[in-house]
Amino acid sequence: MDQARLVARRLPQAPGVYRFRDDGGRILYIGRAVNLRRRVLSYWTHLGDRPGLARMVNRIARVEGVQCDSEHEAAWLERNLLEHTKPRWNRTEGGAEVVGYIRFDPDGPRFTHELELTRKHFGPYLGGLRVRQAISALQRVIPLQYTTEATGSVREFAKLFGVGPDDRETLTRTAYAVLDREPDAVAAVRDELTRRRDLAAGALRFEFAGKLQDELAAFEWIVAEQKVSLLTADDVDVFGWADGVMVSFGLRDGRVRTWTQHAMTERTARERVAATPAGWQLFAQRNAELAARLLA
């Protein structure tokens, strides 16, 4: 246990997924964290509302970790791994968050939260509330819902926002660019939400500023890099190698379902690493280096 605690200090202070094994190599627990090092070390300092985990902590012989590119990616990776295998000390088979999508409704026109795949859609995303808050943020900055031929209050709001039917195509392209995570489009929405939040706070409208902050956080959640659950049917194996340790991730139907690591010579690993898709090479190499560091 003391050795495992020392090893945990080598984890990065970054989002990711961690895994505990006993001295027989059996997986005890899989979890996710905003800060891997802080979260894993907390098992030896305080367990909060889960004191029953103390028995598990006494059995931890090895700590493993995957550094992810965002909190959303870590949440998806944990969910996928737990759907594939449920260790004894995990409560559920996968996360509790609702899986959702954002769909463009051209009749609106607007973006809506959906639980199933439909026409033009983006995702998948975890967390129904986050998805709805992100849609609210998008519609606040990109007022597509007012680019109609409607009359009455909708028309008055359209005048207020300075938009009309002629703006529909441009605003739709802008929204698509944001949801496709194009950096300039994402930055523009982020900056506008931040500006509005700060104006509200400066005007002492703290409740509204808090609402905008929640929407901004939800927006960041859906546009963050996330490649472990995709809207594809891809099956591919991803490999990374460092200092005698091979780390592999197995994607099935677009989701990372497995994560393994074991000793391997560089000569044996070379061909597999070379076959890893370019978009996965940095992720795989970084986590092979992390695995080697934790095993050193």
Side-chain angles (χ1 to χ4, degrees), residues 253-268:
D253 294 324
R255 290 194 185 188
V256 173
R257 299 290 189 181
T258 60
W259 157 33
T260 62
Q261 57 187 64
H262 50 271
M264 184 175 290
T265 65
E266 183 176 10
R267 182 176 180 180
T268 304

Side-chain angles (χ1 to χ4, degrees), residues 12-236:
Q13 298 190 66
V17 170
Y18 58 92
R19 186 164 63 186
F20 298 142
R21 292 184 185 272
D22 63 17
D23 55 11
R26 291 178 292 270
I27 299 173
L28 296 170
Y29 186 81
I30 295 172
R32 79 182 195 230
V34 174
N35 182 313
L36 277 171
R37 185 187 305 172
R38 184 172 63 226
R39 179 69 183 106
V40 173
L41 285 174
S42 73
Y43 284 86
W44 284 276
T45 54
H46 60 84
L47 291 174
D49 64 344
R50 303 186 69 182
L53 285 178
R55 287 189 295 130
M56 181 200 72
V57 172
N58 289 330
R59 300 183 185 185
I60 297 173
R62 198 164 96 205
V63 176
E64 299 170 341
V66 174
Q67 181 179 338
C68 294
D69 289 304
S70 69
E71 295 175 37
H72 196 182
E73 186 171 81
W76 262 118
L77 181 57
E78 179 202 39
R79 183 190 188 97
N80 293 346
L81 294 173
L82 287 176
E83 286 180 350
H84 184 266
T85 179
K86 181 178 176 293
R88 174 185 173 185
W89 295 91
N90 282 95
R91 289 174 171 174
T92 59
E93 298 177 359
E97 297 101 334
V98 171
V99 177
Y101 306 85
I102 293 178
R103 177 176 79 94
F104 177 62
D105 178 2
D107 299 327
R110 63 186 186 277
F111 287 89
T112 60
H113 174 216
E114 302 288 338
L115 300 181
E116 296 180 357
L117 298 181
T118 53
R119 287 177 283 180
K120 180 63 177 178
H121 51 264
F122 300 87
Y125 309 108
L126 285 178
L129 176 60
R130 281 190 175 107
V131 175
R132 291 190 295 273
Q133 288 175 326
I135 290 173
S136 178
L138 278 172
Q139 295 184 155
R140 193 180 297 281
V141 178
I142 308 171
L144 259 171
Q145 64 273 32
Y146 299 119
T147 59
T148 69
E149 299 287 355
T151 58
S153 61
V154 173
R155 188 170 184 177
E156 292 303 314
F157 275 111
K159 289 181 180 179
L160 180 64
F161 284 105
V163 299
D166 292 342
D167 299 301
R168 179 183 299 189
E169 185 177 344
T170 299
L171 290 180
T172 299
R173 286 200 304 268
T174 300
Y176 279 16
V178 172
L179 290 168
D180 281 331
R181 301 188 179 98
E182 294 183 15
D184 290 345
V186 168
V189 173
R190 178 189 296 119
D191 290 347
E192 180 60 18
L193 287 170
T194 301
R195 185 186 71 83
R196 296 189 188 192
R197 180 203 61 193
D198 293 346
L199 282 175
L204 306 183
R205 299 173 63 198
F206 297 121
E207 184 174 347
F208 183 53
K211 177 180 176 64
L212 287 172
Q213 177 56 41
D214 289 341
E215 290 182 2
L216 179 58
F219 173 74
E220 296 286 10
W221 178 262
I222 69 163
V223 298
E225 181 173 350
Q226 191 285 103
K227 58 189 169 296
V228 299
S229 287
L230 303 173
L231 292 176
T232 67
D234 294 346
D235 289 353
V236 65

